[in-house]
Each structure stands twice: as structure tokens, then as C-alpha cells.
């Protein structure tokens, strides 16, 4: 208002420029805060799942692994997790897993069979076999967009004693 001071048209023009930038900065700050909250929510949800969950990008590299998947990394019982991806110790099992991954990643493959797949992976320790589910990830999932996953792998260990929810 005129009571707070005398403003020239040049002052008002400068304020208009600054105001547009300030408004945009606040909008960007809000979006970044929302993305951070969504990222924390997604990781908490995945970490609380009793299964080992791996998210892979289009090059089969691991972009996220939950707590249970990290536990698999160190146990050396048939599953090898590296920055390059996932591999199984037995060649025929690894070939099957890589085939499931290729099917899940192939957008142009004829869908004579589903893009998702399930397999069992025997263990060198002779404990009960892991159950592995491979599934493509929709690009429309905003909760996972921070990871940019293309494939989700869920590994359950029947020896863990954890009962999975129906």
C-alpha cells in the first residue's frame, strides 16, 4: 500500500521479476520435499517386507535392495548380488533366471507367455530352495520413480521361518 512507502514503476517491475522467481523456487522446493517423503515411504514399505526385494534397471543392474536382500548378499548360499546384477551359482538355474529377466525386460516380445515368472533356486547348503518371482515394473508407479526400476525380483527363503502375508 502507499502507506508503507513510495514505489516507483521501476521498483514494481523489479519486484514482479523477483516474485516470479520466488514463486517458482517455492514450487520446486515443495516438489522436492514431496519426492523425498515419497522416497522414504517407498523404502520403508520395501524394507518392512519379509521377502528379499531387488529392483533392477533396464540393464539388469541392481538399483535398490531391501534389508532382506542385503542379508542374502553376505550369506553365500547360491545367490550372488553385485552392482552388475544378480546371478545364481548353478548354471542351469542362472540361465533360467536370466531368461525370466529378459522376458520381463522385453517390451516387444510377443506375449505368448506372461512377462512375469516364478522359479525355485536350489542352494549349495542343501537347505530348502529359494522361491524367486520376477516381474516387470510399471513406469507409472510414482512411489518407485526415484529408483527407475524396470524389473522387480522377490526372493523368499523358506528357512527364514517368516510367514508371508497372503
Amino acid at each position: 500500500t502507499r502507506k508503507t512507502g513510495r514505489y516507483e514503476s521501476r521498483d514494481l517491475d523489479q519486484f514482479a521479476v523477483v516474485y516470479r522467481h520466488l514463486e517458482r523456487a517455492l514450487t520446486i522446493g515443495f516438489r522436492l520435499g514431496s519426492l523425498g517423503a515419497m522416497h522414504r515411504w517407498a523404502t520403508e514399505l520395501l524394507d518392512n517386507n519379509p521377502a528379499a526385494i531387488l529392483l533392477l534397471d533396464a540393464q539388469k543392474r541392481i538399483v535398490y535392495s531391501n534389508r532382506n536382500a542385503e542379508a542374502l548378499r553376505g550369506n553365500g548360499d547360491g545367490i550372488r548380488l553385485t552392482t552388475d546384477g544378480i546371478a545364481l551359482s548353478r548354471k542351469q538355474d542362472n540361465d533360467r533366471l536370466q531368461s525370466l529377466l529378459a522376458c520381463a525386460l522385453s517390451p516387444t516380445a510377443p506375449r505368448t507367455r506372461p512377462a512375469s515368472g516364478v522359479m525355485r533356486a536350489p542352494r549349495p547348503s542343501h537347505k530348502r530352495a529359494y522361491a524367486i518371482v520376477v516381474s516387470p515394473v510399471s513406469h507409472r508407479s510414482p512411489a518407485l520413480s526415484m529408483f527407475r526400476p524396470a524389473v522387480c525380483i522377490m526372493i523368499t527363503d523358506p528357512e527364514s521361518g517368516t510367514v508371508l502375508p497372503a
Side-chain angles (χ1 to χ4, degrees):
T1 65
R2 293 282 175 205
K3 292 180 185 178
T4 59
R6 184 173 166 196
Y7 298 103
E8 302 295 326
S9 63
R10 188 185 85 214
D11 297 329
L12 294 175
D13 290 340
Q14 287 177 347
F15 176 76
V17 169
V18 170
Y19 178 77
R20 283 194 309 264
H21 289 294
L22 181 61
E23 186 176 42
R24 186 166 183 199
L26 288 172
T27 301
I28 290 170
F30 177 75
R31 286 182 181 170
L32 288 174
S34 297
L35 284 174
M38 193 174 290
H39 176 72
R40 286 188 300 278
W41 172 80
T43 54
E44 185 176 317
L45 180 70
L46 294 172
D47 273 343
N48 288 332
N49 193 301
I53 298 176
L54 299 162
L55 299 177
L56 281 61
D57 65 11
Q59 288 73 41
K60 300 181 188 178
R61 292 182 304 234
I62 298 172
V63 293
Y64 175 80
S65 54
N66 71 352
R67 279 185 224 143
N68 292 326
E70 287 302 317
L72 285 178
R73 187 181 302 269
N75 77 1
D77 198 11
I79 296 178
R80 192 172 57 253
L81 304 177
T82 67
T83 54
D84 294 332
I86 179 173
L88 300 177
S89 59
R90 288 182 23 173
K91 183 181 177 348
Q92 64 267 31
D93 297 327
N94 191 54
D95 290 346
R96 170 80 173 127
L97 176 63
Q98 299 309 318
S99 173
L100 290 174
L101 288 171
C103 186
L105 286 169
S106 177
T108 58
R111 294 292 179 207
T112 55
R113 57 183 200 176
S116 299
V118 179
M119 67 176 285
R120 291 170 34 103
R123 301 158 80 163
S125 66
H126 301 292
K127 293 179 180 175
R128 290 185 288 171
Y130 293 114
I132 300 176
V133 178
V134 177
S135 179
V137 175
S138 170
H139 295 290
R140 294 179 230 172
S141 178
L144 299 176
S145 63
M146 296 290 289
F147 304 116
R148 298 191 186 273
V151 177
C152 177
I153 299 175
M154 294 182 70
I155 303 169
T156 55
D157 181 359
E159 299 291 330
S160 71
T162 305
V163 178
L164 296 175

